[in-house]
Amino acid sequence: VVDPADPAFVNPTKPIGPFYSLADATAKRERSGWQIVEDSGRGYRRVVASPQPLRIVESAQIRSLVDAGFVVIAVGGGGIPVIETAPGTYRGVEAVIDKDRASALLAASLEVPLLVLSTGVERVAVHYRQPDQRFLDRMTAAEARGYLADGEFPKGSMGPKIEAAIAFASRPGREVLITTPAALEEGVAGRTGTRVVPDEAAGPIAGGG
């Protein structure tokens, strides 16, 4: 569920769908009211809003399945955005939900202690791909927020994962592990990956360079 008054609807930023020529994109905008942007020199694409997810409609059913021992696949691709027009009545909206935000929301609603965010790097780094690159084994939510404010985690790469990690790990008893699928077992065991922890769980954060 998303808020129809979310500011994201005023400023759509998420490119979706195929690439169009300028002529075709202009026709789509005029005929269907799409908002169109040029995307990295590859053509023109439609953009839609990416609002904050507020609630997962089926969270009670997901909890029941998890409690019964099932592995549940949910909020795939971020899930389907809807607005609640009346209690229990929903209408789909043209938007895209960030998958990491949705996963953090689901993990919080299920009250799980560890959220794993799978990505393409085994550990998070600051000064990424620079001579002074430094890997992080552990950081608090406040430290992650500081790195984010400093521009260490761009929106097009690690930024959404760090934002989701901060949201989830801002309450006691929750941690986030960021690592690759191949390193998942080692990461859960605490031997690799980057942990984002609540502020009161502060400890050393720097790993190998």
Side-chain angles (χ1 to χ4, degrees):
V1 178
V2 300
D3 184 351
D6 191 302
F9 286 109
V10 180
N11 182 33
T13 58
K14 186 69 173 178
I16 62 168
F19 293 89
Y20 295 97
S21 67
L22 178 58
D24 288 342
T26 301
K28 291 283 188 182
R29 180 171 55 212
E30 294 175 352
R31 183 168 59 249
S32 303
W34 288 6
Q35 296 200 46
I36 302 290
V37 298
E38 193 277 330
D39 189 349
S40 306
R42 296 175 293 177
Y44 293 82
R45 299 177 77 189
R46 183 185 185 188
V47 288
V48 297
S50 183
Q52 290 279 357
L54 303 178
R55 181 168 57 85
I56 296 170
V57 176
E58 302 91 344
S59 59
Q61 291 89 334
I62 294 169
R63 176 188 288 276
S64 294
L65 290 168
V66 171
D67 290 345
F70 291 94
V71 175
V72 183
I73 300 173
V75 299
I80 300 171
V82 298
I83 59 173
E84 190 167 21
T85 57
T89 302
Y90 303 96
R91 175 172 61 83
V93 290
E94 294 185 326
V96 171
I97 303 299
D98 179 81
K99 61 184 182 301
D100 298 309
R101 290 175 177 171
S103 296
L105 179 62
L106 178 59
S109 70
L110 296 177
E111 300 178 318
V112 300
L114 178 65
L115 168 64
V116 177
L117 296 177
S118 174
T119 188
V121 294
E122 190 169 318
R123 287 184 292 167
V124 175
V126 292
H127 309 302
Y128 185 57
R129 290 182 174 174
Q130 299 176 31
D132 57 345
Q133 173 176 295
R134 180 165 54 92
F135 289 104
L136 304 176
D137 295 327
R138 176 183 171 93
M139 55 181 162
T140 66
E143 288 163 341
R145 198 175 291 111
Y147 286 131
L148 195 63
D150 291 341
E152 289 287 353
F153 307 122
K155 287 188 176 296
S157 57
M158 191 61 69
K161 294 186 185 301
I162 298 299
E163 290 175 352
I166 291 168
F168 183 77
S170 292
R171 294 185 59 183
R174 298 177 179 175
E175 291 190 8
V176 178
L177 168 65
I178 303 175
T179 194
T180 61
L184 180 58
E185 186 173 355
E186 290 289 293
V188 171
R191 292 188 287 268
T192 191
T194 298
R195 295 269 179 156
V196 182
V197 301
D199 293 339
E200 71 272 14
I205 65 170

